[in-house]
Amino acid sequence: MKDEKSPISTRENLLRAAIRVVQQGSVSSLTLDAVAREAGVSKGGLLYHFPSKDALIKGLVAQFIAEWNRAMDWEFERDPTPELPGRWLRAYIRSCFANYDAEEYATLGLTQGDVAGFLVAISSDTGLLADVYKEYEIWDEKCLNDGIDPAVATVIRLAADGLYFSEAFHLAPPTGEAKRKVMESLLALAKPSGQ
Amino acid sequence: MKDEKSPISTRENLLRAAIRVVQQGSVSSLTLDAVAREAGVSKGGLLYHFPSKDALIKGLVAQFIAEWNRAMDWEFERDPTPELPGRWLRAYIRSCFANYDAEEYATLGLTQGDVAGFLVAISSDTGLLADVYKEYEIWDEKCLNDGIDPAVATVIRLAADGLYFSEAFHLAPPTGEAKRKVMESLLALAKPSGQ
DNA sequence: ACAACTGTACCGGCTGGACGGTAAAAATCG
DNA sequence: CGATTTTTACCGTCCAGCCGGTACAGTTGT
């Protein structure tokens, strides 16, 4: 009731609009004018909430990290075999393989793959992804201390990421039944019996 | 003896210069002026060989594909266990894990990871990566028809790609001994006994 | 043999548009 | 009213692509 017109509303609206712009175009089409137009505000209005383009991108990155962590926590909680080692890896796998479109997690109403496409494209530019790097190191450490052989754990993480990127960049990603079997193969690896 | 001043020389020089610009800066620093300056030619000279920026990027993409295919062929030929199924997958793995810096393959004198960073950043822009998409489908088909269980083969491909991206985007890539063990785990998977 | 012509390779200044950012006025709200 | 939020108008920069040249190597005509 109080988020209807709260000061956050416009801000979030702008973030959603920014994502939409990237989705319906390319990364290079992410301009202040385009985002403002998409959000239905003026450019000045956009710059009031995000004083610079970098600030806008940082907002997107922060939202992305938060969303992904939420998704992984959720998967972690509902793991069917919580007693087995590799629980966190399994949550990681499921998070990468799931496409949360407009569901409970999709705070921004987007597919994770789309966000990745955006983020990575930005990455090469400036140090805007520094937060993502840090987050990744945390995830990596969790992977390595999950009761699974570290090498196998890294294989799993890389494969899950690989799927993510293959979807984001259309690099022959598996779909349908094949995708399901790939995920199951990975989940099998993420259990002590898996190697 | 006749390639000293051949008309190809300038063209290749420009491509090398373009890569250098991206490496020593960011993707966004890839401007026509910068490439021309780096190559020691004028902007007009650059535009003579590549009539547009897109054409220049397409040239880079083509070079990249050719180089990677050459690397994979080379690994394929020197596979230590050519009699076992999964030979092509093993070549794929080794290509992704190797860093050919200024060796036989490095026609452009760059690390594969660098190229990936560049390519992907460009990718979201236009249909400039259409050729890469097609190439990937070919690779995918080779992966699936390599005598290994398709799901496992896809896991391997995704993991190899994942390593590639993790290096390109600094997403906690394994290094040193850990990296070697990861590769060995993958190579083990790429053999009948591996699953 | 040499002049006129043609095509190739390259130069460098220019421009028009896009884009990030600013600032002050205007509207809205408490 | 005063603070917050939003708009309108504008500036400066950067950059892709264009265009009028230059130099020079062949080629052709006579």
Side-chain angles (χ1 to χ4, degrees):
Chain A
M1 281 303 184
K2 80 171 229 242
D3 55 21
E4 176 63 24
K5 198 62 184 177
S6 83
I8 301 177
S9 178
T10 301
R11 215 188 114 98
E12 225 170 72
N13 178 28
L14 285 166
L15 285 176
R16 283 174 198 265
I19 306 261
R20 250 175 285 139
V21 167
V22 174
Q23 281 176 335
Q24 304 166 6
S26 64
V27 173
S28 63
S29 57
L30 183 75
T31 67
L32 296 184
D33 293 271
V35 173
R37 202 181 319 120
E38 176 72 27
V41 299
S42 67
K43 192 158 81 168
L46 162 59
L47 282 164
Y48 173 77
H49 292 280
F50 298 97
S52 71
K53 191 176 183 178
D54 276 12
L56 173 64
I57 295 173
K58 274 190 179 168
L60 290 172
V61 169
Q63 197 96 18
F64 167 72
I65 293 176
E67 186 176 344
W68 203 347
N69 272 327
R70 214 175 318 139
M72 286 194 293
D73 285 349
W74 192 71
E75 295 287 359
F76 186 85
E77 287 305 324
R78 71 196 301 259
D79 181 55
T81 58
E83 70 280 3
L84 291 180
R87 184 179 177 188
W88 196 84
L89 273 168
R90 292 191 295 277
Y92 193 86
I93 295 168
R94 292 199 175 93
S95 294
C96 283
F97 275 73
N99 286 343
Y100 303 104
D101 24 18
E103 297 296 336
E104 297 120 289
Y105 305 118
T107 310
L108 291 175
L110 47 89
T111 302
Q112 290 190 348
D114 292 318
V115 195
F118 161 70
L119 284 179
V120 176
I122 296 295
S123 76
S124 326
D125 259 32
T126 54
L128 289 173
L129 281 195
D131 294 338
V132 176
Y133 298 159
K134 279 182 196 160
E135 205 69 21
Y136 241 92
E137 273 161 27
I138 294 172
W139 296 338
D140 182 46
E141 219 176 290
K142 281 190 182 175
C143 281
L144 296 178
N145 300 323
D146 206 23
I148 304 286
D149 173 53
V152 176
T154 303
V155 166
I156 293 170
R157 175 173 73 88
L158 293 177
D161 289 353
L163 174 99
Y164 201 76
F165 287 121
S166 75
E167 286 183 345
F169 303 130
H170 312 105
L171 303 178
T175 57
E177 190 61 17
K179 180 176 176 181
R180 221 210 62 233
K181 281 186 179 170
V182 169
M183 184 169 87
E184 274 172 17
S185 297
L186 279 179
L187 288 173
L189 279 176
K191 287 176 184 173
S193 57
Q195 179 90 344
Chain B
M1 280 303 185
K2 77 174 228 235
D3 54 23
E4 176 63 26
K5 196 63 183 177
S6 84
I8 302 178
S9 176
T10 301
R11 210 188 118 98
E12 223 169 74
N13 179 28
L14 286 167
L15 285 176
R16 283 174 199 267
I19 306 262
R20 250 176 284 137
V21 168
V22 173
Q23 281 176 334
Q24 304 166 6
S26 63
V27 173
S28 63
S29 59
L30 182 74
T31 66
L32 296 184
D33 293 272
V35 173
R37 203 182 317 121
E38 177 73 26
V41 300
S42 70
K43 196 153 106 178
L46 163 59
L47 282 167
Y48 175 78
H49 293 280
F50 299 97
S52 70
K53 192 176 182 179
D54 276 13
L56 173 65
I57 295 172
K58 274 190 179 167
L60 290 171
V61 169
Q63 197 95 18
F64 166 74
I65 292 176
E67 185 176 344
W68 202 346
N69 273 325
R70 214 176 316 139
M72 286 193 292
D73 286 350
W74 191 73
E75 294 287 359
F76 185 85
E77 289 305 324
R78 72 197 302 259
D79 181 55
T81 58
E83 70 281 3
L84 289 180
R87 185 179 177 189
W88 196 84
L89 273 168
R90 292 191 294 276
Y92 193 87
I93 295 168
R94 291 200 176 91
S95 294
C96 283
F97 275 73
N99 286 344
Y100 302 104
D101 22 20
E103 297 296 336
E104 295 121 290
Y105 304 118
T107 310
L108 292 174
L110 46 90
T111 302
Q112 290 190 348
D114 291 319
V115 196
F118 162 70
L119 282 180
V120 176
I122 297 295
S123 76
S124 326
D125 258 30
T126 54
L128 290 172
L129 281 194
D131 294 339
V132 176
Y133 299 161
K134 280 181 194 159
E135 205 70 20
Y136 241 92
E137 273 160 27
I138 295 172
W139 295 339
D140 181 46
E141 217 174 291
K142 282 189 182 175
C143 282
L144 296 179
N145 301 322
D146 206 22
I148 303 286
D149 174 53
V152 176
T154 304
V155 165
I156 291 169
R157 176 174 70 88
L158 293 177
D161 289 353
L163 175 100
Y164 200 77
F165 287 120
S166 77
E167 285 182 346
F169 304 130
H170 311 104
L171 303 178
T175 59
E177 190 62 17
K179 179 177 177 180
R180 222 209 64 235
K181 282 187 179 172
V182 168
M183 184 169 85
E184 275 173 15
S185 297
L186 279 180
L187 288 173
L189 280 176
K191 286 175 186 173
S193 58
Q195 181 88 343

